[in-house]
Amino acid sequence: MSSSAPASPALVDLLAALAYGELSGFDHLADDARLAPTLAGRAAMSAMAAVEFGHFQRLSARLRELGVVAEDVMEPFVAALETYHDLTAPVTWLESVVKAYVGHGMAADFYREVAKLADPATRELIESVLVDAGRAEFAVSEVHAAVAAQPSAADRLALYARRLVGEAISQTQHVLADRDALTYLLVSGAGDLQGIAGLIDRITSRHEQRMKLLGLSQ
Amino acid sequence: MSSSAPASPALVDLLAALAYGELSGFDHLADDARLAPTLAGRAAMSAMAAVEFGHFQRLSARLRELGVVAEDVMEPFVAALETYHDLTAPVTWLESVVKAYVGHGMAADFYREVAKLADPATRELIESVLVDAGRAEFAVSEVHAAVAAQPSAADRLALYARRLVGEAISQTQHVLADRDALTYLLVSGAGDLQGIAGLIDRITSRHEQRMKLLGLSQ
C-alpha cells in the first residue's frame, strides 16, 4: 500500500491538516444546518457537509497511498481546528452561511498557497478538494435577502466575519509554531519575508472580495 | 420537469417519508459521530451519514421528476421522525452504533415491505437507497469488543434496542394515522389482517436476527 519513497513530513502534515479540516468542516456544517429556517436551507448546507466528507475520503486515500493512516496523522491538528470552530460557533443561520463561505474561502486560499509549494499531483488533489461548490451564490443570495429585510444585520455579520479572520489567523499561527516541517515548506517556498507578506496580501485581498460580494465590506 | 401522469399521493408520501428519513438520518448520524472514542470511529459513522445524504438527494431528484418539491412534501413526516430521534438519542458511542444498525435496519425492512407494493422503478430506487453499507460488520465488531471487555454492557444495550423498537412502532403508527393514502397502500397491498400480521412477523424476525448477530438477544 505504501509508496516506494517515504513521504516528506511536510507533505503528510499538509494533507493531514487539510483532511482534518474537511472532517471537522463536515461535522460543523452538519451541525450548523440545523439553524436553517427552512428544510431547503437545511438541505443546502447538509449538501455542503456531504461534499466535505467526500473530500476527506479522497485525502485519506492519498495519505494511505503514502503509507500513513489519516486518523493517526490528523491528531496534531485536532485541537487548533476545534478551537477555531468553538470560538466561531455561529448562533444564527446567517452567521452559519457567512462562516461556510467566508471561513471556508479563507482556509481554501491558505491551502492553495501552500499547495503551490507541493508536487504537481498533490497540488492537483488539493485544488480539486477546495472547490467552492456553489457556496458563493448561496451565501450571497441568503445574506442579500436578509440585509434587504433588516439593514442592521449587516453590521453584526461584518463583525462576525472579522472574528472568523482573527481566529483563523490565531489558530494557523498555533499550528505553524508546532509543525516545523510545514512551516519550513511555507517559509522556504515563499522565499523570504517579502514572499510571506505577498502571500498574506493575496489571502487578504481575496477575503475582501468575498466580503464585498456579500455586501458586508466597510 | 413533471411527469405526464400525476403521481399518486401514496407514492409521494412513501418517497417523502423516506427522503426525510434519510435527511434526518444524515443529521443524527453526523451528530452521533461525535460520541466516537476514536477518529477512526468518528470517520466511519460520518461516512454512513454522507451515504444517507446521497440517498436523500436521489429521492429528492425522483420527487422533482414527479413534479413535487421534496422540502414541501417532507413536512408531514418531520415531527414523527424528530420525535423518534429525540426519544432514542444515544448517550454512549455503543448506543449510537446499535441505533445506526438496529434502528436503520428496522426502518429499512419497513420501507422494503411498502416498496413491494409500489411500481417497479420506485421499488428499485427504494431498494438501492436501503443498502446496509457495511453497518452490520461495523456494529458487530464494535459491540462484540465492548461486551467482551465489559459483559454488563450487553443488558443496557439490549434495553436500549427495545426502546428503539418501541419508539419506531409508536411513531410509525402516528404517521399512518395521519396519512390515509399511505395506509391504504399498505393495508390493501398486504391484502388483509393476516397479510399485515405476516409483514409484522417478517420485520420482527429480521430484527431478532440483527440482535442475535450483535450478541444481544435474550
Side-chain angles (χ1 to χ4, degrees), chain B residues 32 45 48 90 92-103 135 138-140 142-143 160 214:
Chain B
D32 296 346
M45 190 159 287
M48 294 177 201
T92 65
W93 168 242
L94 285 176
E95 286 187 358
S96 75
V97 169
V98 168
K99 184 176 176 182
Y101 175 48
V102 172
R135 286 177 193 224
F138 181 70
V140 166
E142 292 281 318
V143 170
Y160 174 73
L214 290 176

PDB file of all heavy atoms in Angstrom, chain B residues 32 45 48 90 92-103 135 138-140 142-143 160 214:
ATOM      1  N   ASP B  32     -24.173  11.979  16.133  1.00  0.00           N
ATOM      2  CA  ASP B  32     -23.746  10.853  16.967  1.00  0.00           C
ATOM      3  C   ASP B  32     -22.278  10.494  16.737  1.00  0.00           C
ATOM      4  O   ASP B  32     -21.639   9.922  17.625  1.00  0.00           O
ATOM      5  CB  ASP B  32     -24.619   9.614  16.685  1.00  0.00           C
ATOM      6  CG  ASP B  32     -26.079   9.861  17.073  1.00  0.00           C
ATOM      7  OD1 ASP B  32     -26.337  10.848  17.781  1.00  0.00           O
ATOM      8  OD2 ASP B  32     -26.938   9.067  16.655  1.00  0.00           O
ATOM      9  N   MET B  45     -18.650   6.583  11.213  1.00  0.00           N
ATOM     10  CA  MET B  45     -20.057   6.970  11.344  1.00  0.00           C
ATOM     11  C   MET B  45     -20.383   8.187  10.478  1.00  0.00           C
ATOM     12  O   MET B  45     -21.480   8.297   9.922  1.00  0.00           O
ATOM     13  CB  MET B  45     -20.419   7.224  12.808  1.00  0.00           C
ATOM     14  CG  MET B  45     -21.916   7.385  12.981  1.00  0.00           C
ATOM     15  SD  MET B  45     -22.508   7.107  14.656  1.00  0.00           S
ATOM     16  CE  MET B  45     -22.364   5.335  14.809  1.00  0.00           C
ATOM     17  N   MET B  48     -21.260   6.948   7.100  1.00  0.00           N
ATOM     18  CA  MET B  48     -22.657   6.499   6.989  1.00  0.00           C
ATOM     19  C   MET B  48     -23.571   7.707   6.770  1.00  0.00           C
ATOM     20  O   MET B  48     -24.523   7.651   5.992  1.00  0.00           O
ATOM     21  CB  MET B  48     -23.103   5.786   8.266  1.00  0.00           C
ATOM     22  CG  MET B  48     -22.392   4.476   8.553  1.00  0.00           C
ATOM     23  SD  MET B  48     -23.006   3.820  10.151  1.00  0.00           S
ATOM     24  CE  MET B  48     -21.645   2.729  10.570  1.00  0.00           C
ATOM     25  N   PRO B  90     -28.873   8.568  21.420  1.00  0.00           N
ATOM     26  CA  PRO B  90     -27.869   7.746  22.102  1.00  0.00           C
ATOM     27  C   PRO B  90     -27.061   8.608  23.068  1.00  0.00           C
ATOM     28  O   PRO B  90     -26.768   9.761  22.755  1.00  0.00           O
ATOM     29  CB  PRO B  90     -26.951   7.269  20.973  1.00  0.00           C
ATOM     30  CG  PRO B  90     -27.590   7.705  19.695  1.00  0.00           C
ATOM     31  CD  PRO B  90     -28.551   8.794  20.019  1.00  0.00           C
ATOM     32  N   THR B  92     -24.272   7.056  24.590  1.00  0.00           N
ATOM     33  CA  THR B  92     -22.924   6.495  24.524  1.00  0.00           C
ATOM     34  C   THR B  92     -22.632   6.139  23.065  1.00  0.00           C
ATOM     35  O   THR B  92     -23.548   6.000  22.250  1.00  0.00           O
ATOM     36  CB  THR B  92     -22.790   5.195  25.354  1.00  0.00           C
ATOM     37  OG1 THR B  92     -23.628   4.195  24.763  1.00  0.00           O
ATOM     38  CG2 THR B  92     -23.191   5.407  26.802  1.00  0.00           C
ATOM     39  N   TRP B  93     -21.364   5.963  22.787  1.00  0.00           N
ATOM     40  CA  TRP B  93     -20.939   5.567  21.454  1.00  0.00           C
ATOM     41  C   TRP B  93     -21.583   4.233  21.052  1.00  0.00           C
ATOM     42  O   TRP B  93     -22.074   4.082  19.933  1.00  0.00           O
ATOM     43  CB  TRP B  93     -19.412   5.460  21.423  1.00  0.00           C
ATOM     44  CG  TRP B  93     -18.840   4.799  20.211  1.00  0.00           C
ATOM     45  CD1 TRP B  93     -18.107   3.656  20.178  1.00  0.00           C
ATOM     46  CD2 TRP B  93     -18.941   5.245  18.852  1.00  0.00           C
ATOM     47  NE1 TRP B  93     -17.748   3.355  18.899  1.00  0.00           N
ATOM     48  CE2 TRP B  93     -18.246   4.315  18.051  1.00  0.00           C
ATOM     49  CE3 TRP B  93     -19.551   6.333  18.236  1.00  0.00           C
ATOM     50  CZ2 TRP B  93     -18.134   4.431  16.673  1.00  0.00           C
ATOM     51  CZ3 TRP B  93     -19.448   6.459  16.855  1.00  0.00           C
ATOM     52  CH2 TRP B  93     -18.751   5.515  16.090  1.00  0.00           C
ATOM     53  N   LEU B  94     -21.620   3.271  21.980  1.00  0.00           N
ATOM     54  CA  LEU B  94     -22.199   1.961  21.637  1.00  0.00           C
ATOM     55  C   LEU B  94     -23.684   2.077  21.316  1.00  0.00           C
ATOM     56  O   LEU B  94     -24.183   1.394  20.423  1.00  0.00           O
ATOM     57  CB  LEU B  94     -21.966   0.966  22.764  1.00  0.00           C
ATOM     58  CG  LEU B  94     -20.537   0.437  22.856  1.00  0.00           C
ATOM     59  CD1 LEU B  94     -20.385  -0.460  24.072  1.00  0.00           C
ATOM     60  CD2 LEU B  94     -20.151  -0.331  21.584  1.00  0.00           C
ATOM     61  N   GLU B  95     -24.398   2.924  22.049  1.00  0.00           N
ATOM     62  CA  GLU B  95     -25.809   3.126  21.717  1.00  0.00           C
ATOM     63  C   GLU B  95     -25.937   3.704  20.307  1.00  0.00           C
ATOM     64  O   GLU B  95     -26.821   3.300  19.544  1.00  0.00           O
ATOM     65  CB  GLU B  95     -26.483   4.051  22.739  1.00  0.00           C
ATOM     66  CG  GLU B  95     -26.739   3.351  24.077  1.00  0.00           C
ATOM     67  CD  GLU B  95     -27.556   4.185  25.064  1.00  0.00           C
ATOM     68  OE1 GLU B  95     -27.905   5.347  24.728  1.00  0.00           O
ATOM     69  OE2 GLU B  95     -27.829   3.690  26.169  1.00  0.00           O
ATOM     70  N   SER B  96     -25.051   4.621  19.971  1.00  0.00           N
ATOM     71  CA  SER B  96     -25.150   5.205  18.634  1.00  0.00           C
ATOM     72  C   SER B  96     -24.859   4.150  17.558  1.00  0.00           C
ATOM     73  O   SER B  96     -25.477   4.151  16.489  1.00  0.00           O
ATOM     74  CB  SER B  96     -24.233   6.424  18.492  1.00  0.00           C
ATOM     75  OG  SER B  96     -22.894   6.019  18.360  1.00  0.00           O
ATOM     76  N   VAL B  97     -23.955   3.216  17.852  1.00  0.00           N
ATOM     77  CA  VAL B  97     -23.641   2.132  16.912  1.00  0.00           C
ATOM     78  C   VAL B  97     -24.847   1.199  16.764  1.00  0.00           C
ATOM     79  O   VAL B  97     -25.225   0.801  15.663  1.00  0.00           O
ATOM     80  CB  VAL B  97     -22.395   1.349  17.392  1.00  0.00           C
ATOM     81  CG1 VAL B  97     -22.201   0.074  16.599  1.00  0.00           C
ATOM     82  CG2 VAL B  97     -21.149   2.235  17.320  1.00  0.00           C
ATOM     83  N   VAL B  98     -25.461   0.858  17.911  1.00  0.00           N
ATOM     84  CA  VAL B  98     -26.645  -0.015  17.885  1.00  0.00           C
ATOM     85  C   VAL B  98     -27.783   0.671  17.120  1.00  0.00           C
ATOM     86  O   VAL B  98     -28.461   0.057  16.302  1.00  0.00           O
ATOM     87  CB  VAL B  98     -27.072  -0.386  19.324  1.00  0.00           C
ATOM     88  CG1 VAL B  98     -28.450  -1.037  19.341  1.00  0.00           C
ATOM     89  CG2 VAL B  98     -26.039  -1.326  19.945  1.00  0.00           C
ATOM     90  N   LYS B  99     -27.962   1.948  17.367  1.00  0.00           N
ATOM     91  CA  LYS B  99     -29.035   2.675  16.663  1.00  0.00           C
ATOM     92  C   LYS B  99     -28.783   2.698  15.153  1.00  0.00           C
ATOM     93  O   LYS B  99     -29.696   2.481  14.352  1.00  0.00           O
ATOM     94  CB  LYS B  99     -29.155   4.094  17.201  1.00  0.00           C
ATOM     95  CG  LYS B  99     -30.317   4.860  16.560  1.00  0.00           C
ATOM     96  CD  LYS B  99     -30.491   6.242  17.186  1.00  0.00           C
ATOM     97  CE  LYS B  99     -31.589   7.003  16.463  1.00  0.00           C
ATOM     98  NZ  LYS B  99     -31.764   8.358  17.013  1.00  0.00           N
ATOM     99  N   ALA B 100     -27.533   2.969  14.766  1.00  0.00           N
ATOM    100  CA  ALA B 100     -27.200   3.050  13.332  1.00  0.00           C
ATOM    101  C   ALA B 100     -27.490   1.719  12.640  1.00  0.00           C
ATOM    102  O   ALA B 100     -27.866   1.687  11.470  1.00  0.00           O
ATOM    103  CB  ALA B 100     -25.736   3.439  13.150  1.00  0.00           C
ATOM    104  N   TYR B 101     -27.331   0.627  13.336  1.00  0.00           N
ATOM    105  CA  TYR B 101     -27.536  -0.694  12.730  1.00  0.00           C
ATOM    106  C   TYR B 101     -28.965  -1.200  12.957  1.00  0.00           C
ATOM    107  O   TYR B 101     -29.698  -1.504  12.002  1.00  0.00           O
ATOM    108  CB  TYR B 101     -26.511  -1.668  13.307  1.00  0.00           C
ATOM    109  CG  TYR B 101     -26.678  -3.106  12.863  1.00  0.00           C
ATOM    110  CD1 TYR B 101     -26.856  -3.432  11.517  1.00  0.00           C
ATOM    111  CD2 TYR B 101     -26.671  -4.145  13.793  1.00  0.00           C
ATOM    112  CE1 TYR B 101     -27.020  -4.758  11.119  1.00  0.00           C
ATOM    113  CE2 TYR B 101     -26.825  -5.463  13.399  1.00  0.00           C
ATOM    114  CZ  TYR B 101     -27.004  -5.765  12.057  1.00  0.00           C
ATOM    115  OH  TYR B 101     -27.168  -7.065  11.670  1.00  0.00           O
ATOM    116  N   VAL B 102     -29.393  -1.252  14.222  1.00  0.00           N
ATOM    117  CA  VAL B 102     -30.698  -1.844  14.544  1.00  0.00           C
ATOM    118  C   VAL B 102     -31.851  -0.919  14.123  1.00  0.00           C
ATOM    119  O   VAL B 102     -32.824  -1.368  13.512  1.00  0.00           O
ATOM    120  CB  VAL B 102     -30.780  -2.161  16.062  1.00  0.00           C
ATOM    121  CG1 VAL B 102     -32.179  -2.581  16.459  1.00  0.00           C
ATOM    122  CG2 VAL B 102     -29.775  -3.248  16.413  1.00  0.00           C
ATOM    123  N   GLY B 103     -31.728   0.365  14.450  1.00  0.00           N
ATOM    124  CA  GLY B 103     -32.802   1.309  14.103  1.00  0.00           C
ATOM    125  C   GLY B 103     -32.920   1.460  12.591  1.00  0.00           C
ATOM    126  O   GLY B 103     -34.008   1.368  12.023  1.00  0.00           O
ATOM    127  N   ARG B 135     -22.799  -1.526   7.661  1.00  0.00           N
ATOM    128  CA  ARG B 135     -23.154  -1.220   9.049  1.00  0.00           C
ATOM    129  C   ARG B 135     -23.111  -2.456   9.930  1.00  0.00           C
ATOM    130  O   ARG B 135     -22.744  -2.388  11.096  1.00  0.00           O
ATOM    131  CB  ARG B 135     -24.568  -0.653   9.120  1.00  0.00           C
ATOM    132  CG  ARG B 135     -24.622   0.751   8.626  1.00  0.00           C
ATOM    133  CD  ARG B 135     -26.044   1.243   8.652  1.00  0.00           C
ATOM    134  NE  ARG B 135     -26.116   2.470   7.901  1.00  0.00           N
ATOM    135  CZ  ARG B 135     -26.782   3.533   8.301  1.00  0.00           C
ATOM    136  NH1 ARG B 135     -27.474   3.507   9.399  1.00  0.00           N
ATOM    137  NH2 ARG B 135     -26.772   4.623   7.565  1.00  0.00           N
ATOM    138  N   PHE B 138     -19.572  -3.367  11.003  1.00  0.00           N
ATOM    139  CA  PHE B 138     -19.067  -2.337  11.900  1.00  0.00           C
ATOM    140  C   PHE B 138     -19.693  -2.472  13.287  1.00  0.00           C
ATOM    141  O   PHE B 138     -18.999  -2.504  14.305  1.00  0.00           O
ATOM    142  CB  PHE B 138     -19.362  -0.958  11.307  1.00  0.00           C
ATOM    143  CG  PHE B 138     -18.872   0.178  12.146  1.00  0.00           C
ATOM    144  CD1 PHE B 138     -17.517   0.427  12.267  1.00  0.00           C
ATOM    145  CD2 PHE B 138     -19.766   0.997  12.822  1.00  0.00           C
ATOM    146  CE1 PHE B 138     -17.058   1.477  13.047  1.00  0.00           C
ATOM    147  CE2 PHE B 138     -19.315   2.042  13.608  1.00  0.00           C
ATOM    148  CZ  PHE B 138     -17.961   2.282  13.719  1.00  0.00           C
ATOM    149  N   ALA B 139     -21.035  -2.608  13.323  1.00  0.00           N
ATOM    150  CA  ALA B 139     -21.739  -2.695  14.604  1.00  0.00           C
ATOM    151  C   ALA B 139     -21.342  -3.967  15.348  1.00  0.00           C
ATOM    152  O   ALA B 139     -21.078  -3.937  16.553  1.00  0.00           O
ATOM    153  CB  ALA B 139     -23.248  -2.651  14.379  1.00  0.00           C
ATOM    154  N   VAL B 140     -21.277  -5.081  14.623  1.00  0.00           N
ATOM    155  CA  VAL B 140     -20.940  -6.354  15.269  1.00  0.00           C
ATOM    156  C   VAL B 140     -19.552  -6.265  15.897  1.00  0.00           C
ATOM    157  O   VAL B 140     -19.342  -6.656  17.050  1.00  0.00           O
ATOM    158  CB  VAL B 140     -21.033  -7.523  14.257  1.00  0.00           C
ATOM    159  CG1 VAL B 140     -20.372  -8.777  14.812  1.00  0.00           C
ATOM    160  CG2 VAL B 140     -22.502  -7.795  13.910  1.00  0.00           C
ATOM    161  N   GLU B 142     -17.806  -3.572  16.837  1.00  0.00           N
ATOM    162  CA  GLU B 142     -17.757  -2.629  17.970  1.00  0.00           C
ATOM    163  C   GLU B 142     -18.451  -3.221  19.212  1.00  0.00           C
ATOM    164  O   GLU B 142     -17.938  -3.123  20.327  1.00  0.00           O
ATOM    165  CB  GLU B 142     -18.437  -1.306  17.602  1.00  0.00           C
ATOM    166  CG  GLU B 142     -17.707  -0.490  16.538  1.00  0.00           C
ATOM    167  CD  GLU B 142     -16.511   0.280  17.085  1.00  0.00           C
ATOM    168  OE1 GLU B 142     -16.611   0.861  18.175  1.00  0.00           O
ATOM    169  OE2 GLU B 142     -15.457   0.280  16.403  1.00  0.00           O
ATOM    170  N   VAL B 143     -19.642  -3.813  19.003  1.00  0.00           N
ATOM    171  CA  VAL B 143     -20.418  -4.308  20.149  1.00  0.00           C
ATOM    172  C   VAL B 143     -19.753  -5.546  20.758  1.00  0.00           C
ATOM    173  O   VAL B 143     -19.644  -5.659  21.979  1.00  0.00           O
ATOM    174  CB  VAL B 143     -21.889  -4.582  19.748  1.00  0.00           C
ATOM    175  CG1 VAL B 143     -22.628  -5.326  20.858  1.00  0.00           C
ATOM    176  CG2 VAL B 143     -22.602  -3.269  19.422  1.00  0.00           C
ATOM    177  N   TYR B 160     -31.726  -0.696  25.444  1.00  0.00           N
ATOM    178  CA  TYR B 160     -31.761   0.447  24.515  1.00  0.00           C
ATOM    179  C   TYR B 160     -32.372   0.025  23.176  1.00  0.00           C
ATOM    180  O   TYR B 160     -33.191   0.748  22.593  1.00  0.00           O
ATOM    181  CB  TYR B 160     -30.346   1.002  24.325  1.00  0.00           C
ATOM    182  CG  TYR B 160     -30.274   2.087  23.272  1.00  0.00           C
ATOM    183  CD1 TYR B 160     -30.797   3.354  23.532  1.00  0.00           C
ATOM    184  CD2 TYR B 160     -29.702   1.848  22.031  1.00  0.00           C
ATOM    185  CE1 TYR B 160     -30.761   4.351  22.572  1.00  0.00           C
ATOM    186  CE2 TYR B 160     -29.655   2.834  21.068  1.00  0.00           C
ATOM    187  CZ  TYR B 160     -30.184   4.079  21.342  1.00  0.00           C
ATOM    188  OH  TYR B 160     -30.149   5.067  20.378  1.00  0.00           O
ATOM    189  N   LEU B 214     -25.518  -9.307  16.971  1.00  0.00           N
ATOM    190  CA  LEU B 214     -24.814  -8.407  17.903  1.00  0.00           C
ATOM    191  C   LEU B 214     -24.495  -9.115  19.220  1.00  0.00           C
ATOM    192  O   LEU B 214     -23.744  -8.586  20.036  1.00  0.00           O
ATOM    193  CB  LEU B 214     -25.667  -7.174  18.202  1.00  0.00           C
ATOM    194  CG  LEU B 214     -25.868  -6.156  17.065  1.00  0.00           C
ATOM    195  CD1 LEU B 214     -26.822  -5.057  17.529  1.00  0.00           C
ATOM    196  CD2 LEU B 214     -24.535  -5.533  16.652  1.00  0.00           C
TER     197      LEU B 214
END
